[in-house]
Amino acid sequence: MAINKLHDEFHTLDMNSGWEVPAGYPSGIQQKILSGALDEKNKRGSRTRLLRFDPGVYTTAPFVHEYWEEVFLVQGDLTVGNDAKGKGGEGFRPFTYACRPPGAYHGPFLSNGGCLLMEIHYFDPA
């Protein structure tokens, strides 16, 4: 299967528009798709996105999906493994990275001060 991304040279991103709340996420978390598309139903494709958390926003249950995921914390703080009330977990600072295979449970997540993540999602084989 070919990678479904366009050739796209360096350009300045408009960080004020093009954000949307991903399905199943609270309103204080938004994504901006940079490249590609992920077809979860047919288990193919790849995408690169930015994901941002507003300060104090958290998720309440672990995530699990059938694609690979690579995550880089660009700025802010991210807590992993909080409970359903946003308490507990392990905190991380910028320039931390995770790579998760399909089926890996991860989260829930909290950001006290807000954060920006860069994520790459893809089905195998890429």
Side-chain angles (χ1 to χ4, degrees):
M1 171 178 53
I3 299 296
N4 63 333
K5 295 184 178 180
L6 301 174
H7 178 169
D8 199 5
E9 291 292 340
F10 278 106
H11 61 281
T12 302
L13 295 176
D14 178 357
M15 296 300 284
N16 296 312
S17 66
W19 294 91
E20 62 185 4
V21 176
Y25 284 70
S27 63
I29 301 174
Q30 305 93 29
Q31 71 178 0
K32 181 179 181 77
I33 305 298
L34 300 179
S35 183
L38 202 65
D39 180 351
E40 292 186 58
K41 181 181 175 188
N42 293 304
K43 298 180 184 165
R44 61 181 179 210
S46 64
R47 73 174 167 219
T48 303
R49 74 178 183 180
L50 296 177
L51 190 72
R52 67 180 180 192
F53 282 61
D54 290 340
V57 174
Y58 59 92
T59 61
T60 59
F63 291 84
V64 64
H65 40 72
E66 297 184 46
Y67 50 85
W68 283 88
E69 176 178 55
E70 297 182 60
V71 181
F72 181 74
L73 178 56
V74 177
Q75 65 185 37
D77 65 273
L78 185 69
T79 298
V80 179
N82 54 276
D83 66 19
K85 295 184 184 214
K87 305 296 182 195
E90 182 178 359
F92 294 92
R93 306 300 298 167
F95 311 116
T96 53
Y97 169 81
C99 182
R100 301 180 183 110
Y105 283 82
H106 51 288
F109 301 102
L110 155 75
S111 183
N112 290 304
C115 70
L116 179 67
L117 304 163
M118 181 173 166
E119 300 183 343
I120 302 169
H121 302 147
Y122 49 92
F123 285 97
D124 193 14

